[in-house]
Amino acid sequence: MTIIDGKEVAAKLRKEIAADVKDWKEQGNRPPHLVAILVGNDGASQTYVGHKERACSEVGFRSTVLRFEADITEEFLLGEIAKLNADPEVDGFIVQLPLPKHISEQRINEAIDFRKDVDGFTPVNTGRMMLGLPAYLPATPDGILELLKHYKIETAGKHCVVIGRSNIVGRPIANLLSQKGWDCTVTICHSRTKDLASVVRTGDIVIAALGKAEFVTADMIKEGAVVIDVGITRVPSDKTKSGWKLLGDVKFDEVAPKCSYITPVPGGVGPMTIISLMKNTLKAAHKEVL
Ligand code: GUN
C-alpha cells in the first residue's frame, strides 16, 4: 500500500512553475497576476485564500485579495467583476465560494470572463472541458489527474466509482476520466444511489467527494483499490492549536490496509488544488489556453 504524498508532488510542480515564471519575467514580461475576491468572513475561506496568496508569492506571481463585507450587494460584486474582466493587468481571478446567501453564485459565475476563469467554473470552460477542448480545468479534478499521472496509476479500462455529483468535483472528474487518454469506465454515485456500498465495492478507483466525514468504510472497498479522498470536513479537536482538525470522506485507518494507493487528509489532494490554480494562472498569463 502506498500513501500518495500530495505535498511532495505539489512541491515538485511548484518548483517547475517557479522556474517557468522566472523565464517569463526574464523575457521582459510582468509577473502573472491572480486576484481573489473574498466576501464576508467565513473562516475556511479566509484560510484557503491565505494559502493561495502564499502559493502565489512562492512561485513569483503577483497576487491581490479584494476583501468585501458580507452585506455588499450582488450588483456591487458584478461591478467589481466587470472591472477585473476589463483590467489588462489581471490575468486571472477567482471569487471564493461560498458567497453570502443573498448573492447568486450562478449569476456571479456567469459574469466572469472565461479567459480569466482560472477556477474553471464558468459554463464556457465547463463545456470546453466536456468537449475535450483546451480549457481551464477546475482545481480539484486537475489535482487528482496530476496525482494519478505522477504515481503512474493505470486508468485505462478500470472501473472508477465517483461518490458525489458536485459541479466542481464529482461530475468534472467523472467526465475527465471517461475521456480518451484516461479511458476509465465511470460510475457516479450520489445520495439517491441504491445500495451504494455494493456499487463502490466494484470500483478499481474510488473517488470520495461527497463531503461527509469518514463515510467510506473498509467494507465498501475492494482489495487493491486506489482510493482518492477529496473530503475536508472541519471537526472540533482538543489536540490542535487551532481547536479543529480535518477529516476526509474516507475512514483512513481501516480503509488504507486494503488499498494499493490512498490519499491522506490532509496532505493528499488538498495541496494539489492550489498547484492547479497556479498552473491555470500561468497559462492565462501566457494567453495559451483560450
Ligand atoms: N471554495 C471551495 N473551493 C473553492 C475553489 O476551488 N474555488 C473557489 N473560488 N471557491 C472555493
Side-chain angles (χ1 to χ4, degrees), residues 48 52 94-98 119 121 139-140 168:
Y48 295 146
K52 289 168 189 175
I94 65 164
V95 179
Q96 188 65 32
L97 304 175
D119 255 336
F121 290 172
T140 305
I168 64 177

Side-chain angles (χ1 to χ4, degrees), residues 20-288:
D20 233 336
V21 174
K22 190 163 166 279
D23 281 353
W24 178 247
K25 290 200 259 191
E26 280 168 7
Q27 289 161 30
N29 298 297
R30 61 160 177 75
H33 183 199
L34 174 69
V35 175
I37 295 183
L38 181 57
V39 183
N41 40 28
D42 178 72
S45 290
Q46 303 210 33
T47 306
Y48 295 146
V49 169
H51 289 163
K52 289 168 189 175
E53 272 185 290
R54 197 174 64 207
C56 281
S57 87
E58 281 168 0
V59 297
F61 287 0
R62 176 179 166 200
S63 74
T64 304
V65 181
L66 301 177
R67 292 185 167 80
F68 300 115
E69 298 294 332
D71 63 358
I72 59 165
T73 64
E74 188 175 296
E75 286 62 38
F76 174 83
L77 189 52
L78 288 169
E80 291 300 311
I81 288 170
K83 281 194 244 169
L84 293 172
N85 283 342
D87 187 342
E89 297 292 311
V90 174
D91 296 303
F93 66 96
I94 65 164
V95 179
Q96 188 65 32
L97 304 175
L99 287 170
K101 293 262 180 301
H102 66 282
I103 299 178
S104 157
E105 288 185 358
Q106 188 201 322
R107 276 197 291 274
I108 296 302
N109 186 32
E110 289 195 63
I112 297 170
D113 186 329
F114 64 90
R115 297 173 201 85
K116 297 192 177 186
D117 168 30
V118 287
D119 255 336
F121 290 172
T122 59
V124 172
N125 275 307
T126 306
R128 292 181 64 95
M129 175 203 73
M130 284 208 52
L131 294 168
L133 296 171
Y136 294 117
L137 297 185
T140 305
D142 185 61
I144 295 170
L145 297 182
E146 286 284 1
L147 288 176
L148 295 173
K149 203 160 60 177
H150 180 87
Y151 282 86
K152 299 186 170 62
I153 293 170
E154 183 61 72
T155 53
K158 302 289 182 191
H159 183 206
C160 176
V161 178
V162 178
I163 316 174
R165 54 178 160 181
S166 71
N167 288 338
I168 64 177
V169 185
R171 280 185 295 143
I173 191 62
N175 183 273
L176 288 162
L177 283 172
S178 74
Q179 291 187 17
K180 278 212 167 72
W182 297 100
D183 300 310
C184 282
T185 304
V186 181
T187 302
I188 303 183
C189 296
H190 46 75
S191 52
R192 302 298 294 270
T193 298
K194 284 202 180 116
D195 196 3
L196 183 138
S198 329
V199 180
V200 176
R201 261 194 299 276
T202 64
D204 304 307
I205 300 172
V206 175
I207 299 181
L210 71 158
K212 279 198 177 154
E214 300 188 321
F215 177 87
V216 176
T217 47
D219 60 297
M220 296 184 194
I221 295 297
K222 176 163 80 177
E223 200 68 49
V226 175
V227 174
I228 307 289
D229 188 350
V230 178
I232 34 164
T233 305
R234 282 182 176 209
V235 294
S237 167
D238 49 21
K239 292 200 183 70
T240 63
K241 240 199 296 177
S242 59
W244 50 263
K245 63 173 179 172
L246 291 179
L247 285 181
D249 286 353
V250 176
K251 224 172 191 174
F252 185 89
D253 290 346
E254 64 173 60
V255 171
K258 293 184 84 174
C259 298
S260 54
Y261 293 89
I262 185 166
T263 63
V265 175
V269 175
M272 296 298 296
T273 61
I274 294 198
I275 294 298
S276 302
L277 180 64
M278 301 292 117
K279 273 170 51 189
N280 282 347
T281 305
L282 186 58
K283 284 181 183 161
H286 289 177
K287 309 259 181 299
E288 72 185 20

